[in-house]
Amino acid sequence: MNIEINTTITFENILESKTRVTQHVGGTRSGKTYAILQYLIVEAIKNPQTITIVRKTIPSLKRTVMKDFKDILTDIGIWNENRMNITDRIYQLQDSTLQFISTDDAEKLRGIKSDILFIDEASEVDEESYFQLSIRTTGKIILAYNPTVSPYHWLRQMGDCDRFVTTYKDNPHLPKDMIKAIEELEIKNPRYYLIYGKGEFAPNERSVYEFTTCGEFEAEFVAFGLDWGYSQDPTAVVAVYKSGDRIYLEEVLYEKGLVIKEIADRLNKLGIDKSYEIFCDSSEPRSIEELYRMGFNAKAVQKGPDSRRFGISILKNYKIFVHNKSQNLINELYSYQYGVDKYGHTTDIPEDGFDHLLDAARYVGMMKLTQKAQKKGTYAISIGNYKY
């Protein structure tokens, strides 16, 4: 079969790379994902094989790579609706199988075997999920993401791979009005232009917290913090430990779409002692009561005036360490930042949004780490062991 495609430099980068793993770090609208899908389609036509295409969630799969995949095949005139299994998200192209999967279910990843693996928005995928997929892949592994991840992210720690940086300038098919909008960021938001325009990693000079990553640690267990979520935001649980002037934070749970029973199931699976305090966002008293009736020592955090700033100040009284497997927590610590006023000056008010685990840690800080609370607190010696 002879087909003609209009592609970008990302296609050539994959072809020319001699390493098994390639990372494609791109600014916005660089066309990297589209070009990678084009490469996978060509490979599927050339040789019978199994190709796995991954994103973190099923909705994001359907909204992005599955849509682009269908568009590409339609444009070159070979899309066949009968070859698409919607339920299993599998497409048969010639004698090749292309399977679209999410990493929501960690257990299912152990059954996925691939000749080629492509993870789109790889920065959203945890290192364990990547490991499970990679050891079951015999050929190339292609990772694509935007340069918004922290210096501590597993992608940036990876060796023995080729990294290719592309920007909107590498996409000849981009409309002029979109180019104009991206280039205006250079004046409106220089940091965003550095990331999304130039495709470069940028330090976050407005970070609320300073922190250090660590491996296993020994400290006194303080309590758990829990921030409720459901459809838009994840339910986030963090374990807080203390040793002198240091606090250690460890991610326990970070997942969307959970009802109370499922939260309890996750906590039970981790073997969390039912006597340990879990300080929860007080905005959902019914959820707190239900979790309490299931046997957990769930309590509502007591919020006073300006509680966010107060909680942040308590945590910042300590040197903060975070377990290096707590990827979502590391991402939050790196990205959580102070806002700016209309003149572009940094304020002392944090921006809302990417702070679910940090809110959970703040609840523990307010309830257990103030001087008043510590005078009456009792702690149990523990070693960080609640890695989700």
Side-chain angles (χ1 to χ4, degrees):
M1 176 183 292
N2 293 319
I3 59 174
E4 293 184 5
I5 54 174
N6 294 315
T7 189
T8 65
I9 194 172
T10 295
F11 192 102
E12 296 177 18
N13 289 338
I14 303 172
L15 285 176
E16 295 174 0
S17 174
K18 303 301 181 184
T19 61
R20 179 178 181 235
V21 180
T22 58
Q23 290 192 11
H24 302 269
V25 187
T28 187
R29 311 304 297 180
S30 67
K32 60 186 183 300
T33 299
Y34 207 83
I36 293 168
L37 289 172
Q38 290 175 320
Y39 167 81
L40 297 177
I41 289 168
V42 171
E43 288 298 306
I45 292 172
K46 285 167 54 178
N47 298 299
Q49 55 193 307
T50 299
I51 298 172
T52 302
I53 299 170
V54 181
R55 279 205 63 165
K56 184 175 182 180
T57 67
I58 292 174
S60 61
L61 263 176
K62 293 179 177 178
R63 190 173 60 250
T64 57
V65 286
M66 289 184 70
K67 179 182 180 300
D68 287 345
F69 176 77
K70 180 178 179 179
D71 288 346
I72 294 169
L73 291 186
T74 300
D75 287 344
I76 59 180
I78 60 173
W79 170 260
N80 186 336
E81 198 75 38
N82 296 324
R83 288 182 169 268
M84 184 72 201
N85 183 324
I86 297 296
T87 303
D88 296 329
R89 298 183 300 281
I90 292 174
Y91 189 85
Q92 295 295 144
L93 180 57
Q94 304 272 74
D95 295 321
S96 291
T97 299
L98 293 98
Q99 53 188 352
F100 298 83
I101 70 167
S102 74
T103 59
D104 285 343
D105 189 339
E107 292 301 319
K108 287 184 179 180
L109 299 183
R110 290 173 168 79
I112 300 295
K113 294 182 180 180
S114 317
D115 295 300
I116 301 177
L117 171 66
F118 168 41
I119 305 180
D120 192 32
E121 298 298 342
S123 56
E124 298 177 353
V125 174
D126 62 88
E127 188 173 11
E128 176 62 21
S129 294
Y130 169 73
F131 172 74
Q132 294 298 335
L133 289 164
S134 66
I135 61 174
R136 293 168 177 82
T137 301
T138 58
K140 277 187 176 291
I141 297 175
I142 304 168
L143 308 172
Y145 60 98
N146 291 323
T148 54
V149 297
S150 78
Y152 307 100
H153 198 283
W154 62 269
L155 284 166
R156 293 183 66 176
Q157 304 298 316
M158 183 184 289
D160 194 25
C161 68
D162 280 342
R163 287 185 176 87
F164 300 99
V165 177
T166 54
T167 73
Y168 69 98
K169 293 182 179 180
D170 296 304
N171 186 353
H173 315 295
L174 205 59
K176 290 183 178 179
D177 58 344
M178 198 167 290
I179 294 173
K180 182 174 181 291
I182 295 170
E183 293 181 341
E184 284 176 349
L185 287 174
E186 188 169 12
I187 303 299
K188 294 179 178 178
N189 192 325
R191 181 172 179 271
Y192 272 27
Y193 181 71
L194 193 64
I195 297 170
Y196 297 108
K198 300 179 70 176
E200 297 179 8
F201 295 105
N204 191 351
E205 298 173 350
R206 292 191 280 130
S207 291
V208 174
Y209 298 103
E210 294 182 2
F211 70 100
T212 303
T213 60
C214 66
E216 298 297 333
F217 55 85
E218 185 170 341
E220 295 174 318
F221 177 73
V222 180
F224 294 104
L226 186 155
D227 191 51
W228 305 108
Y230 186 65
S231 58
Q232 297 299 317
D233 297 325
T235 296
V237 180
V238 65
V240 180
Y241 307 80
K242 178 179 176 292
S243 177
D245 65 348
R246 299 182 172 193
I247 56 171
Y248 294 85
L249 307 180
E250 185 176 21
E251 182 176 332
V252 175
L253 179 65
Y254 192 88
E255 190 173 347
K256 292 181 181 179
L258 298 181
V259 296
I260 297 298
K261 184 182 182 304
E262 291 170 323
I263 295 171
D265 289 344
R266 302 292 194 278
L267 299 181
N268 278 321
K269 189 175 181 180
L270 290 166
I272 289 176
D273 192 305
K274 296 294 182 67
S275 67
Y276 287 169
E277 293 173 302
I278 304 175
F279 290 101
C280 311
D281 183 357
S282 57
S283 64
E284 296 194 23
R286 179 176 177 176
S287 297
I288 297 171
E289 180 62 24
E290 288 182 9
L291 195 60
Y292 179 79
R293 293 187 185 187
M294 291 178 179
F296 291 94
N297 193 10
K299 301 179 178 180
V301 64
Q302 298 173 15
K303 298 180 181 178
D306 204 9
S307 62
R308 173 178 292 188
R309 193 176 307 188
F310 175 60
I312 289 172
S313 68
I314 293 171
L315 296 183
K316 292 181 72 172
N317 283 334
Y318 295 87
K319 296 175 183 176
I320 299 173
F321 291 80
V322 58
H323 197 285
N324 55 26
K325 296 294 186 182
S326 300
Q327 192 60 66
N328 293 300
L329 180 54
I330 291 171
N331 292 345
E332 286 194 11
L333 281 162
Y334 177 73
S335 301
Y336 190 47
Q337 61 187 17
Y338 290 110
V340 295
D341 61 22
K342 63 181 180 180
Y343 303 107
H345 301 139
T346 301
T347 70
D348 61 351
I349 302 173
E351 294 178 346
D352 288 327
F354 204 45
D355 55 356
H356 313 294
L357 288 159
L358 293 177
D359 277 349
R362 182 165 55 82
Y363 302 153
V364 176
M366 290 189 292
M367 299 302 294
K368 300 292 288 186
L369 296 178
T370 62
Q371 289 186 356
K372 181 178 179 181
Q374 289 185 70
K375 287 180 181 179
K376 62 180 181 180
T378 58
Y379 303 113
I381 296 296
S382 185
I383 296 175
N385 59 359
Y386 288 111
K387 292 174 287 296
Y388 77 119

